[in-house]
Amino acid sequence: DAGVARAARAARVARVRLSAHGLKATDTPQPSDGDVLACMLRRIEAEGTPLALGRGAWRANRPLRRGTSDEPTSASTGKDDDLLFSETAGRFRVHPDARYVLEPGIAPDGAALLEITGAESVGALCERFIGTEDRELLECERAATRVSRVSPTEIIARWETCFVPTKLHWMVRLASVWPGVTVEYYDILDRMDRRSRFTWRGLFDVFKTAALKKKMRVPYAKIKGTTRLRFQRAAEDDAEDYSTPSFSLLSTEETIELVGFINAERVQNKRLARDVLAFLDTRKPPNVSLAAWDERVDTSIKWRLVPGMGQFDVDGLEDVEDRNEVFADAMVVLAFGTVVLLTFAWAFGGWYLHGLERDAAMMAATRDFY
């Protein structure tokens, strides 16, 4: 079948690489289970996301690419990098019954926000997620902050994805055309319990910093999450057959930190709620309509309870303190507009009266002449 064919191809690749170095298959010991898991750990760290293991590219028959993160080091084994990678890659695959689960148990019926089964479906979905992030999230960057093996068949990866929210694209574009100005990113996760408010003073400070310090400070979105990866080891008899994968990716469970905080009603900052919704848009599966996905998110995540995110909420009018600040800003804008209007009226009135006086003088001169 297809699995046997892939295993045979992997074995042939290993033999070809061994012969290129003047060795036989029996001359070099096969990699241990620890080598296989070490390669998977390194791949997650290199690509910054545990979804790398579920992608269709990370299969037993994937060709080796020199100079990439796919190559394992030979520090602990003393083997040539090419040999170790070709053999180790052939010992890992995505299990035919693999599952991808996003936010397990979060839906009202106790189900996950999203659950996909099957090797091909999981691989294609992971590939789609990474591609969608790169296409739809401006300045998207992924990083694996901590990857650890908690058991012989389980890995926990903590990761974060950063991007510029849609409403702040103008700041990045402005900095790109402003001579000498560079973008300085920072996150606002420490302001989770504070309500976000727009003030003209804050906008003025942004331009002041850009003009004086040549830095455009942009508050980008940072989404933190945890992924639990479970593997299935081959049977003892099959484990000694090095043409057969010894590890299979059995399940990938993904949780997002801010989703838990939102459902616990700990998030007061509507910017963070919007960041989560923008990130979840990239997790929409291809066979689900946008309306259906939005409804699924609405019923599973309490983002409408975040101040300012309700259907009838108006920015700055959620409570008395917000209203006072908005009214104060409105008074400043109104006063400024009044000064501009009066100045224009004074200048226009003076010019108009001066014209009338000039016309009257000309008419008087004409009468005297005739």
Side-chain angles (χ1 to χ4, degrees):
D1 58 4
V4 174
R6 284 197 298 269
R9 285 196 297 271
R12 286 197 298 271
V13 170
R15 286 195 296 270
V16 169
R17 294 192 182 280
L18 286 167
S19 62
H21 290 76
L23 301 173
K24 297 180 181 179
T26 55
D27 294 335
T28 305
Q30 296 294 332
S32 65
D33 291 346
D35 294 329
V36 179
L37 287 179
C39 286
M40 289 187 275
L41 289 170
R42 290 190 63 249
R43 181 168 183 83
I44 293 173
E45 292 174 344
E47 294 208 17
T49 173
L51 296 179
L53 295 185
R55 298 172 70 177
W58 186 241
R59 300 294 176 85
N61 60 347
R62 183 181 183 186
L64 178 68
R65 294 183 298 165
R66 292 292 299 174
T68 69
S69 61
D70 297 341
E71 302 175 57
T73 59
S74 54
S76 61
T77 62
K79 294 184 183 182
D80 180 86
D81 288 350
D82 281 355
L83 298 178
L84 178 60
F85 177 73
S86 61
E87 298 163 6
T88 304
R91 301 192 66 193
F92 173 75
R93 67 169 181 170
V94 179
H95 194 277
D97 299 324
R99 293 190 313 137
Y100 169 83
V101 182
L102 175 61
E103 294 293 343
I106 198 175
D109 58 359
L113 181 63
L114 175 65
E115 182 169 350
I116 301 294
T117 59
E120 294 300 326
S121 297
V122 170
L125 199 69
C126 293
E127 190 81 33
R128 172 188 172 87
F129 288 167
I130 294 176
T132 304
E133 289 177 9
D134 292 336
R135 288 192 306 271
E136 298 184 2
L137 303 179
L138 180 66
E139 301 292 335
C140 179
E141 294 184 358
R142 290 174 290 269
T145 56
R146 185 176 181 181
V147 185
S148 55
R149 182 173 54 192
V150 296
S151 76
T153 58
E154 188 171 349
I155 292 175
I156 293 181
R158 291 180 172 85
W159 50 268
E160 60 186 34
T161 300
C162 302
F163 59 93
V164 179
T166 303
K167 286 191 173 183
L168 301 182
H169 286 188
W170 67 270
M171 299 181 70
V172 177
R173 289 195 294 266
L174 179 60
S176 65
V177 298
W178 194 330
V181 174
T182 58
V183 177
E184 182 180 275
Y185 295 112
Y186 67 97
D187 68 82
I188 58 172
L189 292 178
D190 58 335
R191 306 176 191 176
M192 180 174 61
D193 57 346
R194 306 178 196 172
R195 299 189 180 186
S196 59
R197 303 179 179 94
F198 171 80
T199 62
W200 291 98
R201 182 178 300 175
L203 183 61
F204 173 77
D205 290 340
V206 169
F207 285 103
K208 180 181 177 181
T209 303
L212 299 181
K213 299 182 179 180
K214 299 298 181 181
K215 291 182 180 179
M216 181 68 73
R217 302 193 73 241
V218 179
Y220 66 176
K222 178 180 284 189
I223 305 297
K224 292 185 176 182
T226 302
T227 301
R228 183 181 296 270
L229 303 157
R230 293 186 176 91
F231 305 88
Q232 184 181 79
R233 301 177 67 175
E236 185 175 351
D237 294 339
D238 294 335
E240 297 182 1
D241 180 7
Y242 295 109
S243 64
T244 302
S246 61
F247 276 88
S248 299
L249 177 60
L250 191 59
S251 69
T252 302
E253 293 186 1
E254 194 170 54
T255 58
I256 300 171
E257 186 178 87
L258 278 175
V259 169
F261 290 150
I262 290 175
N263 281 356
E265 301 183 24
R266 294 177 55 186
V267 177
Q268 299 294 308
N269 195 316
K270 62 187 176 185
R271 236 299 303 276
L272 295 178
R274 290 172 179 167
D275 293 344
V276 169
L277 293 179
F279 181 78
L280 288 176
D281 284 344
T282 67
R283 290 294 187 263
K284 186 187 80 68
N287 58 341
V288 177
S289 67
L290 184 59
W293 180 247
D294 287 343
E295 182 180 358
R296 184 71 173 175
V297 171
D298 286 348
T299 57
S300 303
I301 303 175
K302 302 176 182 178
W303 61 271
R304 293 189 185 275
L305 297 182
V306 178
M309 295 294 290
Q311 183 176 1
F312 299 106
D313 286 345
V314 179
D315 287 352
L317 299 181
E318 293 87 20
D319 55 31
V320 175
E321 183 181 355
D322 289 343
R323 287 196 294 270
N324 290 338
E325 290 196 9
V326 171
F327 292 154
D329 286 340
M331 291 299 295
V332 172
V333 175
L334 182 60
F336 177 76
T338 302
V339 170
V340 172
L341 181 61
L342 291 176
T343 302
F344 176 78
W346 177 80
F348 179 79
W351 170 81
Y352 182 73
L353 291 176
H354 179 71
L356 290 178
E357 291 177 354
R358 185 181 56 189
D359 291 343
M362 290 182 63
M363 290 181 63
T366 302
R367 274 197 313 269
D368 293 342
F369 178 79
Y370 290 105

